[in-house]
Amino acid sequence: MARRFDPALTYDAVVVGSGATGAVAAQTLAEQGLQVLVLEAGPELSAQQALGSEPRNIARRFQHLLAGRHRLQSQHPGYWKNNPDLYIDEQLNPYTTPAEQPFLWTRGRQVGGKSLSWGGITLRLSEREFAQGWPVGHEDLAPHYSALEQQLGVWGHRDGLELLPDGDTQPAAPFTPGEVQLSKTCESLDLPFIASRGFARHRPSRDGPWPRFSAQGGALQAALASGRVTLRSGALVSQLLLNPAQDQTEGVLFIDAATGAIEQASARLVVLCASTIETIRLLLLSRDDHQSGGLIDPQGLLGLGLMDHVSVARFFTLPAQPPAPAGTGLSGAESCFIPNTGEGYGLWCAVQRFDPPSVLQRQPDTALGFLIGHGEVQADGRNRVVLDAQARDAWGLPVPHIAMGWREPEQQLLEQMLERIHTVVDAADGMVRPIEELLHLPLVEPWVRTSAAGSQRPGPPGYYIHELGGVPMGSDPATSLLDGWNRWRGCSNLLVTDGASWPSSGWQSPTLTSMALTRRACLQAGQASH
């Protein structure tokens, strides 16, 4: 059971954020005997409150949309399958962008963070990706990847692909008949086709009340069970506290979300896992140009090089297939991939995994599928996060101003991904069509036509919810803020281990790698503390 926060205590470590990486940080440090304080900006919910249920979730969605709380986040299809209370109130927590550069920022502010709405795909990065500016390689992260895959029970095959390293996984989900057909097509095109690697759908009888992919179903549960973790919810961290020499952090200031009171937590180690843009904002609020005696950023790199995977999605039909087995569904594990073969992208796909009732299908004698390409984006200093000079959130803190756009390399990658999608579907005798031409969508069709999810155009930056970079790790102090152990240069007891630490994006879903980076960094920091 978590202990109560003691403001008079100097903790061994403070972890900011309780999502996928914050949970791993807390578990890793606690298992080494450290007393750990986890600060989470949002509330602590029961499993029933967090997951919700239909049709009450539907009613909440329309309540939030009518009130203007989720105008932007509702553009993502994940919003429509999860409890909408897992998405932040945009009116209380605004952000700004240039008028010509929209950014769709999806946030989850509660204990567990976005792990509660995560798609649950777990792909390792290969040496190809690590060669692009990383101070670590697959060999450095392999034991941490394996430990997490084993603990969390990830599904997948061992496929023997150099550009997508195998994991320590449980047996993969079987393909549907339509996916078998697509795999044969890919074989004829000399393209790999593999079962996805990740988490299956939540089954309380197997997993307990919390999904395995959530922090509460994995690392956070283990951290709290250690008896060495204090979890304080409703704590908005607003500033790092540094010593007079500005070379060691001594803790953090945070705002009580309910009362607005400012409190202090002292610690010998601070680990930032607040999510990429929130971590950048906290560091900007703590930098010496904003706070006297604050964090030193000698090269002015903080916030530069924001990335998100560029993506494009297409629905399609295949000729009639045998029915999928009973109980077939869609999840991070129950789906497929046509992984990259060196081009810097992969295609996530599924066939016969979300077939609606035949009355809603415009072509009920076909098999419905999708292909979603997501491609790597390199860090570009023009893509950045700064503090807005005027706008404030509900607690009076400056909000992020996010400036990011797709440039020529991303446009070329989009064209390649679209070409590959059409090549695969055409070779399978299928047909690519907009979703509204495949399904009758009463009530929601106007939303589909105008949303980023339903558009035939690429999603804007932020849409894929894989924001990365802005506090890069690296080998060269002139181009990186963190060393090879995720430590802030010049302040070795400050770690940044979430997506903000990435120097390049790769194409793979990033959460597992961020968790592995966190485990590696916190093991090193814990050993150094003894």
Side-chain angles (χ1 to χ4, degrees), residues 30 56 62 89 119 139 165 169 202 222 242 244 249 268 339 341 376 381 385-386 399 401 411 432-433 529:
R56 292 189 66 185
F62 285 105
D89 187 329
E139 182 177 292
T169 54
H202 178 221
L242 272 71
T249 181
R268 300 179 182 88
T341 53
E376 66 184 2
V385 179
V386 298
V399 306
H401 179 78
Q411 297 296 341
V432 174
R433 286 285 185 272
S529 70

Side-chain angles (χ1 to χ4, degrees), residues 51-367:
L51 303 178
S53 61
E54 303 295 353
R56 292 189 66 185
N57 285 351
I58 294 176
R60 289 193 188 97
R61 288 186 195 104
F62 285 105
Q63 288 174 354
H64 292 320
L65 291 172
L66 289 172
R69 300 186 189 104
H70 294 156
R71 180 178 61 86
L72 296 170
Q73 294 167 108
S74 63
Q75 297 291 305
H76 195 278
Y79 177 82
W80 297 87
K81 70 176 185 178
N82 291 304
N83 178 1
D85 291 341
L86 297 179
Y87 294 79
I88 203 166
D89 187 329
E90 296 166 2
Q91 295 177 329
L92 299 178
N93 301 274
Y95 63 98
T96 61
T97 70
E100 72 282 4
Q101 290 185 321
F103 188 95
L104 291 182
W105 188 17
T106 297
R107 290 168 283 174
R109 184 171 282 186
Q110 60 273 322
V111 173
K114 286 188 292 187
S115 77
L116 292 166
S117 55
W118 176 30
I121 294 173
T122 57
L123 304 178
R124 297 188 181 196
L125 268 61
S126 74
E127 291 298 351
R128 175 194 176 277
E129 287 77 44
F130 285 119
Q132 299 179 48
W134 290 77
V136 298
H138 182 267
E139 182 177 292
D140 298 299
L141 289 189
H144 309 289
Y145 276 138
S146 292
L148 291 163
E149 288 160 344
Q150 293 170 11
Q151 175 182 340
L152 300 172
V154 169
W155 292 12
H157 282 309
R158 299 186 65 83
D159 301 292
L161 299 176
E162 181 180 352
L163 289 172
L164 191 63
D166 290 329
D168 283 308
T169 54
Q170 299 182 15
F175 293 150
T176 66
E179 290 163 353
V180 171
Q181 177 62 37
L182 208 61
S183 70
K184 294 176 180 177
T185 297
C186 286
E187 184 178 2
S188 72
L189 296 170
D190 198 26
L191 295 173
F193 187 93
I194 67 170
S196 182
R197 302 170 190 168
F199 295 100
R201 289 162 291 154
H202 178 221
R203 292 183 181 175
S205 60
R206 177 191 63 201
D207 306 326
W210 293 101
R212 293 292 295 272
F213 53 76
S214 69
Q216 291 94 324
L220 186 60
Q221 181 182 74
L224 295 173
S226 73
R228 289 184 285 273
V229 172
T230 299
L231 174 62
R232 170 68 186 268
S233 58
L236 290 77
V237 179
S238 58
Q239 183 185 338
L240 300 173
L241 299 173
L242 272 71
N243 66 356
Q246 296 171 263
D247 62 358
Q248 291 282 286
T249 181
E250 296 183 335
V252 300
L253 290 181
F254 64 91
I255 301 171
D256 186 294
T259 67
I262 297 176
E263 301 186 48
Q264 177 175 329
S266 299
R268 300 179 182 88
L269 173 72
V270 174
V271 187
L272 300 188
C273 301
S275 81
T276 295
I277 296 173
E278 290 288 11
T279 286
I280 294 171
R281 176 168 77 150
L282 173 57
L283 290 167
L284 288 168
L285 289 169
S286 304
R287 195 165 63 175
D288 63 352
D289 61 344
H290 190 83
Q291 296 288 347
S292 176
L295 200 62
I296 298 172
D297 172 17
Q299 307 297 333
L301 297 175
L302 180 57
L304 305 186
L306 183 67
M307 300 169 284
D308 179 38
H309 288 140
V310 62
S311 66
V312 62
R314 289 294 184 267
F315 290 91
F316 65 89
T317 56
L318 295 181
Q321 302 288 324
T328 295
L330 176 65
S331 71
E334 298 157 296
S335 49
C336 311
F337 262 97
I338 304 173
N340 105 31
T341 53
E343 300 96 335
Y345 68 87
L347 303 179
W348 182 43
C349 61
V351 187
Q352 294 178 290
R353 292 193 179 275
F354 56 102
D355 287 344
S358 59
V359 68
L360 296 179
Q361 298 183 47
R362 296 184 188 272
Q363 301 177 33
D365 57 341
T366 61

